[in-house]
Amino acid sequence: MENKPIIGITIGDPNGIGPEIITKTLLSSEIRNICHPVVIGDMRIMNEISVRLGVSLDFEGIIYNIENYSPSLLEFGTAKAEAGRAVVDYIKEAVRLASEGKIAAIVTAPVNKETLKMAGYSYPGHTELIAELTGTTDFGMMLVGGNLKVVLVTIHVPLKDVPYLIKKEDVLRKIRLAHSSMRYFGIERPRVAVCGLNPHSGEGGIFGEEDRKEILPAVALAKEEGIDASGPLPPDTLFHKAYKGDYDVIVAMYHDQGLIPLKMLAFGKAVNVTLGLPIIRTSVGHGTAYDIAGKGMADPTSLLEAIKLAVQMSRRSC
């Protein structure tokens, strides 16, 4: 395949499974056939992981080397402030390269939120950090897995706070992002399904007012803009209908509402996409997996899928 895009892959938390799944993925001929991968991180860490895995992989020419985390600091499964600072360095450089057009997309290996906090950062994760670096205020998270594509209105917030955060303007913004993101999948007129918040979408206000006071007006405004949006729809039946193909993308109100069904369907294969950015960013749909880090057990499937989706998105953005 000619004109293969250059995809930048950040190694994430060195003490997590990021370097391991990247090493395993780079051994796959499938990746080399569709893109030119460039690893953004500390070559010393990648070489150390290769040795531990017992594989021969030459990183010369496929790594953008940032020496900021000595192998002597490796302590698998442990949150460290040094790792948090290293992660931010990798992301900053990846965003710069993408913004300058030197790479077509960024794919991120997982970061541990505790390491970011220990390093003095307040970001809940990659998404908010990359949004700040690119000056993006209207952004969102979409998870792609199996037949489902899910955009979240609220992300990493306590469940008790969710009802107060469901506002018409925010729901409408996420509907717009969900609608526009479908161009990456070749869907010209996407069918956007919007979840209700309460059981049975509030049952006319009996089980809560958010559905008819905030979500329904957002859907109505989206329709006025020409978006094929439906809702609020009861989530307990909506996901089954979307799985069968009745809808192209779902807008869910909170983290677990959207991600439990998606990960039930595609656990280990889900891909995280940040919407609204001026650059393309995908990520694995899992965390640092401290419990198995350094044991050679990590499954690289989600990273493989994230790279494949980044390639697809970069080609459709041209």
Side-chain angles (χ1 to χ4, degrees):
M1 182 183 296
E2 296 182 359
N3 298 320
K4 294 185 291 187
I6 302 173
I7 304 297
I9 309 168
T10 59
I11 70 172
D13 187 337
N15 291 312
I17 62 171
E20 178 184 332
I21 59 176
I22 290 172
T23 300
K24 290 178 176 178
T25 298
L26 292 178
L27 293 171
S28 167
S29 59
E30 181 178 7
I31 289 302
R32 304 296 185 94
N33 288 338
I34 63 172
C35 71
H36 294 294
V38 174
V39 179
I40 301 170
D42 197 315
M43 183 185 292
R44 299 170 300 177
I45 297 297
M46 297 306 298
N47 284 332
E48 177 70 18
I49 297 301
S50 295
V51 170
R52 292 181 182 230
L53 290 174
V55 300
S56 177
L57 188 58
D58 184 5
F59 287 100
E60 290 289 345
I62 61 169
I63 191 162
Y64 190 93
N65 190 30
I66 303 175
E67 290 196 354
N68 62 358
Y69 200 82
S70 169
S72 65
L73 292 172
L74 276 177
E75 191 174 350
F76 295 114
T78 303
K80 286 190 171 185
E82 297 91 341
R85 287 190 286 269
V87 164
V88 173
D89 287 346
Y90 306 147
I91 291 299
K92 286 182 176 178
E93 197 59 27
V95 169
R96 184 186 70 80
L97 293 171
S99 299
E100 294 177 359
K102 294 178 180 177
I103 58 177
I106 300 171
V107 178
T108 57
V111 59
N112 184 282
K113 296 172 180 61
E114 186 180 355
T115 65
L116 292 177
K117 184 177 180 180
M118 292 170 67
Y121 298 106
S122 59
Y123 309 108
H126 277 126
T127 300
E128 294 79 7
L129 169 59
I130 296 173
E132 181 178 296
L133 291 172
T134 57
T136 304
T137 56
D138 189 7
F139 61 91
M141 176 189 291
M142 176 170 70
L143 270 289
V144 179
N147 292 350
L148 296 181
K149 302 173 187 67
V150 179
V151 175
L152 302 176
V153 174
T154 64
I155 307 176
H156 298 121
V157 298
L159 188 58
K160 65 181 177 62
D161 295 339
V162 169
Y164 306 102
L165 297 173
I166 301 302
K167 300 300 180 185
K168 177 181 67 176
E169 297 79 9
D170 293 325
V171 175
L172 179 59
R173 279 196 290 267
K174 295 306 188 294
I175 293 173
R176 289 169 178 157
L177 286 172
H179 173 80
S180 64
S181 71
M182 290 300 100
R183 70 185 186 278
Y184 292 122
F185 300 89
I187 302 173
E188 294 183 3
R189 184 165 173 74
R191 299 160 297 170
V192 182
V194 182
C195 289
L197 174 65
N198 298 294
H200 306 291
S201 296
E203 198 78 71
I206 297 174
F207 301 138
E209 296 287 344
E210 296 86 1
D211 300 271
R212 67 185 183 92
K213 287 188 174 181
E214 304 293 344
I215 302 173
L216 183 61
V219 172
L221 288 171
K223 288 180 177 178
E224 290 179 10
E225 296 178 6
I227 297 174
D228 184 2
S230 302
L233 301 171
D236 58 350
T237 55
L238 168 56
F239 283 90
H240 177 66
K241 292 178 180 179
Y243 175 73
K244 291 194 305 177
D246 291 351
Y247 301 102
D248 299 302
V249 60
I250 295 172
V251 176
M253 295 301 112
Y254 59 94
H255 186 278
D256 285 7
Q257 182 186 62
L259 300 195
I260 287 175
L262 185 139
K263 290 190 176 183
M264 177 70 75
L265 175 67
F267 189 78
K269 297 181 180 180
V271 177
N272 182 346
V273 182
T274 304
L275 304 178
L277 299 174
I279 60 178
I280 294 170
R281 179 258 175 161
T282 68
S283 181
V284 294
H286 56 72
T288 49
Y290 275 171
D291 57 326
I292 62 170
K295 299 178 181 179
M297 300 166 54
D299 184 350
T301 303
S302 182
L303 180 62
L304 178 63
E305 293 299 318
I307 295 171
K308 288 162 63 176
L309 183 54
V311 170
Q312 174 183 320
M313 292 176 67
S314 68
R315 292 193 183 282
R316 291 193 182 275
S317 68
C318 297

